[in-house]
């Protein structure tokens, strides 16, 4: 198992290097484009242009430019946004990351718990009204756009019925740090959690139900039933554990892309100052350093999450260990 982990770690480092080169090439090594003007922003003075060119080494060879950019991102962490009055980029991401992490972790807890319950119940009561009702509800959740559901939720809880007893507890749009007010933190995030989780509940419950139904005819499941184990124990102890291999794969990818900025629409709709909203603001202002930094950190997080998922595979499925 140790050689497999070391091999996967080496592959991860190689992929991270490739991602960093690709992101740098897309943003700063495009033929016919001046990266100095991109970083300096609109209507930059000649003094600012010269300062950016000298600071980032754009008058030197591409490998030097790449090394300088990676140093500013990951070592000295002094990459500056000239479109935002010289604000440092990395501290902005560090300030936004906890908001996104709180949003995604809470939503993930809801969608994982709800989808396991729905998928298992649907498989246990296959081809009954319970199965059809749960899968129909999942299909409805998949079909509803996040931004539309968020706007409708805001219309109900923030405007139409905010003064009623049912939604009077809902605070205004924005984020409340947990360290300042745990109760306010929960109230500010509980509705965004549900809105973000709805689509994933539908996807994950349907995937889990399909896997459990497919596994019902496998030899190890028939053997477990032949030993006299109860249907509930067979489903939960044998079927669910095997079906979770696919579940973990989906979760790792979705969780990583959401933390990396995939929750942008939810953050914008609910006024949460997370990584997604930071990226949205940077795209609106064509703030290249912020865009590049968020893309780079997001890509790294996705690659690392993939590596973690592969390592979890080694623990969940012995066949993967043997194959490696």
């Amino acid at each position: 198992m140790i050689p497999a982990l070391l091999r996967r770690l080496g592959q991860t480092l190689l992929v991270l290097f490739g991602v960093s080169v690709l992101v740098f090439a897309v943003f700063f090594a495009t033929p016919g484009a001046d990266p100095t003007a991109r970083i300096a922003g609109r209507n930059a003075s000649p003094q600012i242009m010269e300062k950016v060119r000298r600071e980032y080494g754009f008058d030197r060879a591409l490998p030097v430019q790449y090394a300088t950019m990676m140093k500013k991102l990951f070592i000295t962490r002094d990459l500056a946004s000239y479109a935002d009055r010289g604000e440092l980029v990395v501290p902005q991401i560090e300030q936004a990351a906890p908001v996104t992490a709180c949003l995604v972790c809470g939503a993930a807890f809801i969608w994982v718990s709800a989808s396991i319950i729905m998928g298992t119940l649907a498989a246990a009561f296959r081809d009954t009204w319970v199965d059809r009702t749960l899968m129909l509800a999942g299909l409805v959740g998949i079909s509803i756009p996040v931004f539309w559901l968020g706007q409708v939720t805001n219309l109900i809880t923030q405007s139409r019925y905010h003064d009623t007893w049912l939604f009077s507890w809902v605070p205004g749009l924005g984020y409340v740090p947990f360290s300042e007010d745990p109760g306010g933190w929960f109230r500010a995030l509980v509705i965004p959690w549900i809105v973000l989780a709805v689509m994933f509940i539908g996807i994950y419950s349907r995937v889990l139900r399909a896997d459990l139904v497919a596994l019902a005819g496998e030899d190890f499941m028939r053997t477990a039933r032949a030993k006299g184990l109860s249907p509930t124990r067979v489903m939960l102890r044998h079927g669910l554990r095997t079906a979770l291999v696919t579940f973990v794969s989906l979760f790792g990818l979705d969780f990583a892309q959401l933390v990396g900025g995939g929750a942008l629409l939810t953050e914008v709709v609910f006024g949460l100052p997370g990584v997604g909203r930071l990226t949205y603001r940077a795209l609106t202002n064509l703030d290249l350093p912020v865009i590049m930094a968020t893309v780079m950190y997001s890509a790294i997080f996705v690659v690392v999450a993939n590596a973690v998922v592969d390592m979890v595979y080694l623990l969940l499925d012995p066949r993967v260990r043997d194959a490696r």
Side-chain angles (χ1 to χ4, degrees), residues 1 18 44 48 111 137 151 155 250:
M1 184 172 176
I48 293 295
W111 93 60
Q151 292 286 17
L155 179 64
L250 285 174

Side-chain angles (χ1 to χ4, degrees), residues 181-233:
D181 182 6
W185 171 84
F186 179 82
R187 290 192 298 272
L189 286 176
V190 63
I191 293 178
W193 284 342
I194 296 172
V195 169
L196 183 58
V198 164
M199 179 184 69
F200 293 101
I201 292 173
I203 295 173
Y204 280 63
S205 61
R206 293 175 70 87
V207 168
L208 183 61
R209 186 258 185 199
D211 285 347
L212 288 173
V213 170
L215 288 170
E218 293 291 331
D219 291 340
F220 71 94
M221 295 285 282
R222 287 199 295 265
T223 302
R225 287 193 291 268
K227 289 180 179 180
L229 298 179
S230 65
T232 302
R233 188 172 182 184

Side-chain angles (χ1 to χ4, degrees), residues 12-43:
T12 300
L13 294 176
L14 184 61
V15 171
L16 288 176
F17 172 73
V19 167
S20 66
V21 172
L22 180 62
V23 172
F24 172 79
V26 168
F27 282 100
F28 298 107
T30 307
D34 183 10
T36 304
R38 291 180 175 185
I39 289 185
R42 299 188 184 99
N43 305 319

Side-chain angles (χ1 to χ4, degrees), residues 124-168:
F125 296 95
R126 181 177 49 177
D127 297 330
T128 66
W129 68 269
V130 175
D131 179 20
R132 288 189 288 269
T133 301
L134 290 175
M135 291 301 97
L136 179 61
L139 183 61
V140 171
I142 296 172
S143 306
I144 298 177
V146 172
F147 67 89
W148 181 87
L149 182 59
Q151 292 286 17
V152 170
T153 303
N154 282 339
L155 179 64
I156 294 173
T157 62
Q158 298 286 342
S159 179
R160 291 282 180 86
Y161 302 102
H162 181 68
D163 294 332
T164 64
W165 64 269
L166 191 59
F167 297 112
S168 59

Side-chain angles (χ1 to χ4, degrees), residues 50-59 68 72 78-80 82:
E50 182 60 31
K51 178 182 178 182
V52 171
R53 186 175 291 108
R54 185 174 58 254
E55 182 179 347
Y56 288 87
F58 289 139
D59 53 352
T68 302
K72 285 183 169 296
D78 58 351
L79 181 66
Y82 287 92

Side-chain angles (χ1 to χ4, degrees), residues 55 72 83 95 115 133 139 199 251 274 278 296 303:
E55 182 179 347
K72 285 183 169 296
Q95 186 176 6
S115 59
T133 301
L139 183 61
M199 179 184 69
F251 178 79
L278 178 66
M296 181 72 76
V303 171

